[in-house]
Each structure stands twice: as structure tokens, then as C-alpha cells.
Amino acid sequence: MEANWGTVKDAQTHFGVSRQRVHQLIEKGAFGECERVETPVGAYWLIPYPFKRAVYPVGRPRQNPE
């Protein structure tokens, strides 16, 4: 593996989140351009390193009072 890519496990350890949360963030595009690598024994994700994570708003959107 190249030095400028990390795995899901590396990102999980770096951010202190679960494997499932890393996959959710990959789906949202929070890590940038990730690559899915297919191998004969299964597939895995490569995440650009150093890790950067986009910040998304949390919670329900506010309603505009009219």
C-alpha cells in the first residue's frame, strides 16, 4: 500500500469512531476521494492520508419563523 493512503481501520483509530461510522462518512464524501479496491478475497477502502474530515451540521434544521 502506498504511503499516502490509509485504511478504514487506520481512520477508525485516528478519529476514535466505529467502523460503521467510517463507512457512513465515506458514503457522505467527508474524507474526499476514497478508492474501493477489489481483491480475490474481498474489497476494502483506501482513504487519502493525512486524514481530513469535512464538518457537517448536526441535528434538525431550524425552521424559519414567518
Side-chain angles (χ1 to χ4, degrees):
M1 179 169 36
E2 296 180 22
N4 59 346
W5 294 100
T7 63
V8 170
K9 187 163 189 133
D10 297 334
Q12 176 183 344
T13 304
H14 179 78
F15 291 112
V17 295
S18 68
R19 177 189 57 80
Q20 293 90 345
R21 183 62 179 151
V22 172
H23 284 279
Q24 288 173 352
L25 293 169
I26 290 171
E27 289 294 319
K28 281 185 168 184
F31 295 131
E33 291 295 321
C34 298
E35 291 187 21
R36 184 176 168 95
V37 177
E38 299 286 337
T39 66
V41 294
Y44 61 93
W45 284 97
L46 292 177
I47 303 167
Y49 188 84
F51 298 121
K52 296 176 190 163
R53 178 177 168 184
V55 179
Y56 293 103
V58 177
R60 186 175 180 170
R62 291 181 181 230
Q63 293 182 350
N64 294 331
E66 297 188 30

